[in-house]
Amino acid sequence: MEAGVPQVLALTMGDPAGIGPELTVAAWRALRVGGPGFMVLGDPALYPGVPVRVVADAAQAAAVFGEALPVLPVGLACAARPGAPDVANAPAVIGSIARAVELALAGQVGAVVTNPISKLVLKQAGFAHPGHTEYLAELCGVPGQEVMMLACPELRVVPVTIHVSLRGALERLTADEIVRCGRTTAAALRRDFGIAAPRLAVAGLNPHAGEGGVMGGEEGEIIAPAIAVLRGEGMDVTGPWPPDTMFTPPARARYDAALCMYHDQALIPLKTIDMAGGVNVTLGLPIVRTSPDHGTAFDIAGQGVADPSSLIAALKLGRDMARNRSAA
């Protein structure tokens, strides 16, 4: 990597009973020649079938990555069994994330890439956050500034409301929140994606984007005023667009990222277009964070059939974002 950019990324353990361990092994096999290099923060026993090297820091990881999977040890409370999550291991899962963020904030790794966690398991252990995104923001000292993006080569989407029910999303949707997400997204597209003049498309909430208020008034009352604010700040923002037509190939060619009003409005088109290559990105942090766009898949864990494509894409995007951020 270029001068000034750390040579390795920090990959968290994820839930040890999920597909994270086998994805990690597959990613190392795919990337050991050519990179990006990474070290996993987990229990060395989770990664059979490949040479494992216990390391103490990122420098050691960079030195051995071509010959062995570098593991910065994070001990488990009990042995992990594929498909059988154990609440006792939740502290290790959380600790892996915290340690990775610590390394990134110290500039020792280029990015944090997170393996999938089980929100239910962590909640049963007393974890107070809805998921990775909010916990990462707290660890970075910027709670409330986080924005979730899902990205693949053909599309980037940002849900303005995230892990809440559809009813809750309607209650939480405000012009201020759309503006906040728009500002953060535009800044990230410039800094982390190398897009000098980002273009944002904003989805409507209702069918046909409300059709002039006939099918709902949120477009005129909430979304259009937010777009006006963003445009007034010099941003290239269009909308509100009918959600059922704004993800066609010709429409996607006219913007760099889409702001969507709720979780599934954003994630359904992204995962339909490229489930295997989709990447979850957290914007608004002082570090780069990416993740595969799928979950723990306990039902297939340990069977050797999990597709590592999304994790590999997350590692590559993490490297690219770190490079862009360093050059900005």
Side-chain angles (χ1 to χ4, degrees), residues 146-273:
E146 69 276 8
V147 168
M148 187 173 83
M149 171 186 281
L150 273 291
C152 68
E154 292 80 21
L155 178 64
R156 302 181 191 94
V157 292
V158 171
V160 174
T161 61
I162 309 178
H163 295 127
V164 294
S165 68
L166 185 55
R167 187 183 303 276
L170 297 176
E171 294 170 350
R172 296 187 186 193
L173 185 65
T174 65
D176 287 345
E177 191 63 10
I178 296 170
V179 169
R180 183 186 73 85
C181 289
R183 288 171 176 158
T184 299
T185 302
L189 289 172
R190 288 189 294 268
R191 180 177 63 170
D192 296 334
F193 292 85
I195 301 173
R199 304 164 300 165
L200 302 182
V202 181
L205 175 68
N206 299 297
H208 303 180
E211 199 159 308
V214 174
M215 298 184 185
E218 286 84 0
E219 284 75 15
E221 297 164 4
I222 297 172
I223 302 173
I227 292 172
V229 170
L230 295 171
R231 286 176 178 166
E233 296 176 0
M235 300 183 201
D236 184 348
V237 185
T238 59
W241 295 109
D244 61 346
T245 59
M246 67 180 292
F247 299 109
T248 63
R252 298 199 307 268
R254 296 193 291 267
Y255 58 81
D256 300 301
L259 295 187
C260 302
M261 299 303 103
Y262 56 94
H263 183 279
D264 284 6
Q265 189 184 61
L267 272 64
I268 287 173
L270 188 289
K271 292 187 176 184
T272 300
I273 290 169

Side-chain angles (χ1 to χ4, degrees), residues 56-186:
D57 54 39
Q60 290 183 8
V64 306
F65 184 77
E67 290 76 42
L69 173 65
V71 179
L72 187 68
V74 177
L76 297 174
C78 59
R81 292 188 298 121
D86 196 319
V87 174
N89 284 327
V93 174
I94 297 167
S96 175
I97 301 167
R99 179 65 174 139
V101 170
E102 179 184 336
L103 292 170
L105 288 172
Q108 297 178 30
V109 295
V112 172
V113 182
T114 56
N115 263 311
I117 58 174
S118 168
K119 298 177 180 66
L120 175 59
V121 171
L122 295 190
K123 183 177 180 180
Q124 290 171 341
F127 189 63
H129 304 276
H132 265 126
T133 302
E134 298 82 3
Y135 183 48
L136 290 162
E138 180 180 285
L139 290 172
C140 290
V142 291
Q145 297 183 33
E146 69 276 8
V147 168
M148 187 173 83
M149 171 186 281
L150 273 291
C152 68
E154 292 80 21
L155 178 64
R156 302 181 191 94
V157 292
V158 171
V160 174
T161 61
I162 309 178
H163 295 127
V164 294
S165 68
L166 185 55
R167 187 183 303 276
L170 297 176
E171 294 170 350
R172 296 187 186 193
L173 185 65
T174 65
D176 287 345
E177 191 63 10
I178 296 170
V179 169
R180 183 186 73 85
C181 289
R183 288 171 176 158
T184 299
T185 302

Side-chain angles (χ1 to χ4, degrees), residues 20-79:
E22 58 199 275
L23 295 181
T24 298
V25 168
W28 177 78
R29 286 177 172 148
L31 301 174
R32 58 177 296 193
V33 177
F38 62 87
M39 65 176 178
V40 59
L41 285 70
D43 190 311
L46 290 173
Y47 312 104
V50 295
V52 170
R53 189 75 55 84
V54 173
V55 298
D57 54 39
Q60 290 183 8
V64 306
F65 184 77
E67 290 76 42
L69 173 65
V71 179
L72 187 68
V74 177
L76 297 174
C78 59

